[in-house]
Amino acid sequence: MVVAHDGLTLRCVPASPTADRGWAALVPAQALPLAATLRHLEVLHASAVTLNGRALVFCGRPGVGKSSLVAQLVLRGAGLLSDDAVAIDDSLVVHPSTGTIHLRPAELRRLSPAARIRLGIRAAMRFDGRAIGGVRPAGAAPLGAVYLLEQALDGPPVESTDSVDPALLLGSTFNLSVRSPDRLLRHLNLCARIAAGVRVFRIRVTPDVDAATLAGRVMTCL
């Protein structure tokens, strides 16, 4: 898989005609975020939806529940922008990706057959055990809020606060391979703009909270 230096061309081909189809997941997961970075967008390790014309971005470490959360929000009427990697330009507009959602087996089992159909989930599973869903992505939208998701071992099941250290935004970058001075400066400037003009929430979630409950709590923070 090769991405051109200007981010405009992507070339990829499986190693053989019989190769596992899981390789295709690398396009939205790795190649497109790199291309977006090369096109001077900043990419966060996050998932995003649109509600009421604004983009809501959920940042967090792998396994914290970003994909499951946006799936539940989509079931509640939100539009999907991106799962796992979110591209934002310097005017704080969030851009759509491919419309795919990757759900872990435990979360998939919680979904009803009707919910699976709405999320475009088929029986096939990815090579790592995750199910791939697909919905039509929403259009680009201005950034309305950022949620920093964290796992908590104790305390309230869901604890949210809008008193957030802006420096935490710096740890949400997706792309660590493009480290040119202008790209690093772009990342710093984006985080500064978000901290200055966008509501940022920090949400701590205990392991026993499911995505549906968390989605309901997020809706109350709007």
Side-chain angles (χ1 to χ4, degrees):
M1 187 176 297
V2 178
V3 179
H5 67 88
D6 58 2
L8 288 176
T9 304
L10 166 65
R11 294 183 178 181
C12 56
V13 63
S16 71
T18 59
D20 192 307
R21 292 194 308 174
W23 70 272
L26 294 176
V27 175
Q30 298 293 333
L32 292 184
L34 175 57
T37 302
L38 295 172
R39 296 298 300 162
H40 306 298
L41 281 76
E42 188 57 38
V43 181
L44 301 183
H45 190 188
S47 297
V49 299
T50 59
L51 273 174
N52 302 322
R54 296 280 177 173
L56 308 181
V57 173
F58 304 94
C59 303
R61 299 176 61 183
V64 75
K66 300 184 297 297
S67 300
S68 302
L69 174 57
V70 298
Q72 288 293 330
L73 291 171
V74 168
L75 292 173
R76 286 163 168 75
L80 178 67
L81 278 170
S82 185
D83 180 27
D84 204 45
V86 174
I88 307 176
D89 65 29
D90 57 7
S91 60
L92 297 187
V93 171
V94 182
H95 293 265
S97 185
T98 60
T100 56
I101 304 176
H102 302 86
L103 295 177
R104 297 175 187 272
E107 190 60 36
L108 180 65
R109 288 192 292 269
R110 295 189 179 100
L111 296 177
S112 68
R116 296 187 189 194
I117 291 173
R118 288 183 60 189
L119 294 173
I121 295 174
R122 303 293 182 261
M125 303 289 285
R126 216 174 74 174
F127 63 91
D128 60 0
R130 298 188 189 185
I132 301 178
V135 300
R136 183 184 296 276
L143 180 58
V146 175
Y147 299 81
L148 304 178
L149 303 181
E150 299 179 0
Q151 290 181 331
L153 297 179
D154 52 25
V158 180
E159 182 179 22
S160 63
T161 177
D162 57 2
S163 178
V164 178
D165 182 355
L168 292 174
L169 293 167
L170 296 173
S172 297
T173 183
F174 184 89
N175 191 303
L176 298 176
S177 60
V178 181
R179 303 182 63 84
S180 60
D182 64 319
R183 186 260 151 178
L184 294 174
L185 180 61
R186 188 167 66 246
H187 176 54
L188 289 170
N189 286 337
L190 177 78
C191 291
R193 289 192 187 98
I194 293 174
V198 177
R199 296 188 73 186
V200 180
F201 297 90
R202 188 177 186 180
I203 299 183
R204 301 176 73 250
V205 186
T206 56
D208 57 320
V209 175
D210 60 38
T213 301
L214 180 56
R217 183 61 180 268
V218 167
M219 297 286 281
T220 67
C221 295
L222 300 178

